[in-house]
Amino acid sequence: MNNSEDVVDFVHNGHKRYLPHLSIDCVIFGYHDQQLKILLIRYHDQENWSLPGGFVERREALTAAAHRILYEKTRLTNLFLQQFYTFGDSPIRLDHIEIQNNHNKVYAKANVAISDDHWLSKRTLSIGYYALVDYQAVTITPEFLVEGYSWVDINSIPPLQYDHNEIIDKALVTLRSQIYQQAIGQNLLPEKFTLPEIHSLYESILDRQFDRRNFRKKLLALGLVTQLEERRKIGQHRSPFLYAFNPEIANKPFEAGAMTAF
Amino acid sequence: MNNSEDVVDFVHNGHKRYLPHLSIDCVIFGYHDQQLKILLIRYHDQENWSLPGGFVERREALTAAAHRILYEKTRLTNLFLQQFYTFGDSPIRLDHIEIQNNHNKVYAKANVAISDDHWLSKRTLSIGYYALVDYQAVTITPEFLVEGYSWVDINSIPPLQYDHNEIIDKALVTLRSQIYQQAIGQNLLPEKFTLPEIHSLYESILDRQFDRRNFRKKLLALGLVTQLEERRKIGQHRSPFLYAFNPEIANKPFEAGAMTAF
DNA sequence: TCAAAAGTGTTTGAGATACACCCATGT
DNA sequence: ACATGGGTGTATCTCAAACACTTTTGA
């Protein structure tokens, strides 16, 4: 929604197009500067940041909706995207007064008011999806009602709107448990990466330290990555080797317990 | 819903009481006769069996709704209940003709017809919950529209209505991955149980064999269970010792990797 | 006494963990 | 030359895996 007319149309006709009482919220993980980050957005006249989200079209498959919403925000397709939980317990999801008030501030920018029985004022459950994206590849799309975007370190997430902090917590727990079954790194790193890069990525995700030598040994023993002949120039210091994921091994879920530790 | 009037009221007024487009389906696991089983139900005039399910009241927390539905079916409270996925991709969940036809057969028993724009004819996403119950403790509650209940071995699940086979598959995958983080057995076994019982339970859930000696060693090493002094009389053969879960250890999630294998 | 199920201990090997010194690079 | 980060190998220890005979019980 890039202009005021689109927004007005959405407010007036969205209920015909989208399923009511239901939204999708996306926890978009990216990795940059040795830190695991999440993409947050701030809507017009809102103090708190939120997760990017959207609605499900009436005849759209749920997974397709999540991919569409992600595409609208990041212009990325074919990314790693996974549903992790559906949120419908928080008081904010039972009583809608706060949501209605916030909506009224946001949509004031397009001069529309949200009445008490408007479809956007109704109780809304949210289906949580998390995505792993290559930070560098994301193109933020400006939207009329969105005043700011920010990649925030997972250790410095501020208080967010509604139950979004809870959603992020659950996404992180899920991500951490998936890391031993899937080659998570593949989706967060560029095609070629150095050992220190993937090493510190895993340390960020799991929030603990691993021995450099053992970490490399394990990755190679699993056949997950291959060491290339190239090195990357990093200026002042010794040039580290580049590595790449082995698609055959990285693209299938690991056998039970293949990766239990580093 | 125990009689025709309740059903008629539900069909006519359910849309005021429940959220539209959304249901909860429950995969209820029980253990009996050395086999892991699932509780299925068959509605009036339906050929295929289904998962027990229900709807979410408009101002009811999601978790509360799941517990209520489970209680209505089994009369059990405080059971282990966990959300595992929300289903909205299957074609059956986009196009509702088949669902409407089936509903018309079912509700014919109460002499009500479901029109094309009736709330029960709309596209419905389903939130999947799985429950672990003590088989012996379940009291099946008869319902007007339900013609049969059955505990079915997970290895002999017949083709079910809609995408319910897919829901069960996902529940099983989730259960199997949770077994290493939670003392799953605690919810499926009576308070006191024998080693052969819990041994074969784990074999059923994970669909593989474990060495008796190693299995016992691991359980005791984790402190998960305690051997009691009592034995159980099992007739013709040697009386096995009884065991009980250690609540302090069994009730908290295991540390990462505590239980990676047997 | 026999059939069926339960009880029990030791050995082996794989893999996780711990650990420290040398090398490359630009300033 | 030096500061900074990158590269590499070995020894130990823990724990999973493999394995078979004896005991109990009622018919």
Side-chain angles (χ1 to χ4, degrees):
Chain A
M1 295 189 291
N2 295 315
N3 55 54
S4 184
E5 291 79 50
D6 285 357
V7 171
V8 172
D9 180 61
F10 171 77
V11 169
H12 288 151
N13 300 311
H15 64 289
K16 296 179 206 153
R17 178 157 193 181
Y18 300 105
L19 291 176
H21 301 291
L22 199 65
S23 65
I24 287 181
D25 281 316
C26 299
V27 180
I28 306 174
F29 290 102
Y31 181 63
H32 181 63
D33 220 7
Q34 315 247 83
Q35 292 185 317
L36 188 64
K37 292 167 188 286
I38 291 175
L39 184 63
L40 298 178
I41 76 183
R42 197 158 52 77
Y43 288 98
H44 172 74
D45 199 18
Q46 297 294 297
E47 198 179 325
N48 293 333
W49 294 74
S50 321
L51 289 170
F55 296 94
V56 183
E57 292 175 11
R58 286 183 174 264
R59 313 217 73 204
E60 181 181 39
L62 193 51
T63 304
H67 273 104
R68 174 180 52 75
I69 291 165
L70 252 294
Y71 176 76
E72 286 167 7
K73 307 290 179 191
T74 65
R75 297 289 141 186
L76 292 176
T77 51
N78 284 110
L79 32 69
F80 181 94
L81 182 60
Q82 185 158 326
Q83 188 194 308
F84 61 94
Y85 200 74
T86 296
F87 297 85
D89 281 343
S90 158
I92 199 71
R93 302 210 169 270
L94 297 180
D95 187 84
H96 56 269
I97 300 296
E98 184 185 337
I99 293 183
Q100 187 187 342
N101 286 343
N102 287 340
H103 275 152
N104 266 312
K105 288 192 194 169
V106 172
Y107 291 102
K109 186 170 178 188
N111 292 311
V112 272
I114 311 294
S115 66
D116 210 46
D117 60 349
H118 188 274
W119 70 281
L120 283 168
S121 295
K122 298 296 168 74
R123 175 185 180 189
T124 302
L125 307 199
S126 181
I127 304 178
Y129 278 82
Y130 76 89
L132 305 179
V133 305
D134 179 358
Y135 176 93
Q136 304 168 43
V138 172
T139 313
I140 297 295
T141 320
E143 279 189 79
F144 184 72
L145 294 176
V146 176
E147 313 241 300
Y149 290 90
S150 178
W151 285 99
V152 181
D153 184 293
I154 50 161
N155 295 308
S156 338
I157 304 284
L160 305 178
Q161 281 202 315
Y162 314 133
D163 57 353
H164 290 190
N165 291 90
E166 190 192 327
I167 296 179
I168 290 178
D169 289 345
K170 191 101 183 176
L172 257 174
V173 168
T174 310
L175 174 62
R176 284 182 177 143
S177 74
Q178 295 265 213
I179 205 173
Y180 292 115
Q181 272 119 261
Q182 296 259 302
I184 294 297
Q186 196 175 198
N187 308 288
L188 287 162
L189 292 167
E191 212 173 313
K192 296 172 180 182
F193 50 89
T194 67
L195 200 59
E197 280 170 347
I198 189 173
H199 179 222
S200 108
L201 167 64
Y202 274 71
E203 290 192 335
S204 305
I205 293 178
L206 292 171
D207 198 23
R208 42 181 286 236
Q209 316 250 103
F210 301 108
D211 180 88
R212 297 214 309 281
R213 289 160 290 190
N214 294 338
F215 183 77
R216 173 168 181 273
K217 218 182 305 173
K218 182 75 195 236
L219 251 45
L220 292 174
L222 284 170
L224 202 58
V225 300
T226 315
Q227 184 168 353
L228 308 176
E229 311 229 323
E230 297 172 74
R231 289 154 178 269
R232 169 176 295 161
K233 284 267 184 298
I234 53 161
Q236 190 161 4
H237 306 295
R238 181 171 182 170
S239 309
F241 283 100
L242 287 172
Y243 290 76
F245 278 94
N246 263 335
E248 309 98 59
I249 294 178
N251 287 332
K252 48 191 67 156
F254 308 151
E255 298 160 36
M259 185 133 124
T260 49
F262 291 99
Chain B
M1 295 190 291
N2 295 316
N3 55 53
S4 185
E5 290 80 52
D6 286 356
V7 172
V8 172
D9 180 60
F10 171 77
V11 170
H12 288 151
N13 300 312
H15 64 290
K16 296 179 206 154
R17 177 156 194 181
Y18 300 105
L19 291 175
H21 301 291
L22 198 66
S23 65
I24 287 180
D25 281 317
C26 299
V27 180
I28 306 174
F29 290 103
Y31 182 65
H32 181 63
D33 221 6
Q34 315 248 79
Q35 292 186 318
L36 188 63
K37 291 167 186 285
I38 291 174
L39 184 63
L40 297 178
I41 75 183
R42 196 160 51 77
Y43 288 97
H44 173 74
D45 198 19
Q46 296 296 112
E47 198 179 323
N48 293 333
W49 294 74
S50 322
L51 289 170
F55 296 94
V56 183
E57 292 175 11
R58 286 183 174 264
R59 314 218 71 206
E60 180 182 39
L62 193 52
T63 304
H67 274 103
R68 174 180 51 77
I69 291 165
L70 253 294
Y71 176 75
E72 286 168 6
K73 307 290 178 190
T74 65
R75 298 289 140 187
L76 291 176
T77 52
N78 285 109
L79 32 70
F80 181 93
L81 181 60
Q82 186 157 324
Q83 188 194 307
F84 62 94
Y85 199 73
T86 296
F87 297 84
D89 282 342
S90 160
I92 200 72
R93 303 211 168 270
L94 298 179
D95 186 83
H96 56 267
I97 300 297
E98 184 185 337
I99 293 182
Q100 187 187 343
N101 287 342
N102 286 342
H103 275 151
N104 266 313
K105 288 192 194 167
V106 172
Y107 291 102
K109 185 169 181 192
N111 293 309
V112 273
I114 311 294
S115 66
D116 209 47
D117 60 348
H118 188 274
W119 69 282
L120 283 167
S121 295
K122 298 296 168 74
R123 175 184 180 191
T124 302
L125 307 199
S126 180
I127 305 178
Y129 279 81
Y130 75 90
L132 306 179
V133 306
D134 179 358
Y135 177 92
Q136 304 170 43
V138 172
T139 313
I140 298 295
T141 322
E143 277 188 80
F144 185 71
L145 294 175
V146 176
E147 314 241 299
Y149 290 88
S150 177
W151 285 100
V152 181
D153 184 295
I154 51 162
N155 295 309
S156 338
I157 305 284
L160 305 178
Q161 280 203 315
Y162 314 132
D163 57 353
H164 289 191
N165 291 89
E166 190 191 327
I167 296 180
I168 290 178
D169 289 346
K170 190 100 184 177
L172 257 174
V173 168
T174 310
L175 174 63
R176 284 181 178 144
S177 74
Q178 292 271 149
I179 204 173
Y180 291 116
Q181 271 120 262
Q182 297 259 307
I184 295 297
Q186 197 176 196
N187 309 287
L188 287 162
L189 292 167
E191 213 172 313
K192 297 173 180 181
F193 49 90
T194 67
L195 201 60
E197 280 170 345
I198 188 171
H199 178 223
S200 108
L201 168 63
Y202 274 70
E203 289 191 335
S204 306
I205 293 178
L206 292 170
D207 198 24
R208 42 181 287 237
Q209 317 250 103
F210 301 106
D211 181 89
R212 298 217 305 282
R213 289 159 290 190
N214 293 339
F215 183 77
R216 173 169 182 272
K217 219 183 302 174
K218 182 75 194 236
L219 251 46
L220 291 174
L222 285 170
L224 202 60
V225 301
T226 315
Q227 184 168 352
L228 308 177
E229 312 229 321
E230 297 172 74
R231 289 155 178 267
R232 168 175 299 161
K233 282 268 185 296
I234 52 161
Q236 188 159 7
H237 306 294
R238 182 171 181 169
S239 310
F241 281 101
L242 287 171
Y243 289 76
F245 278 94
N246 262 335
E248 309 99 59
I249 293 180
N251 287 332
K252 49 191 66 158
F254 308 152
E255 298 160 39
M259 185 134 125
T260 50
F262 292 99

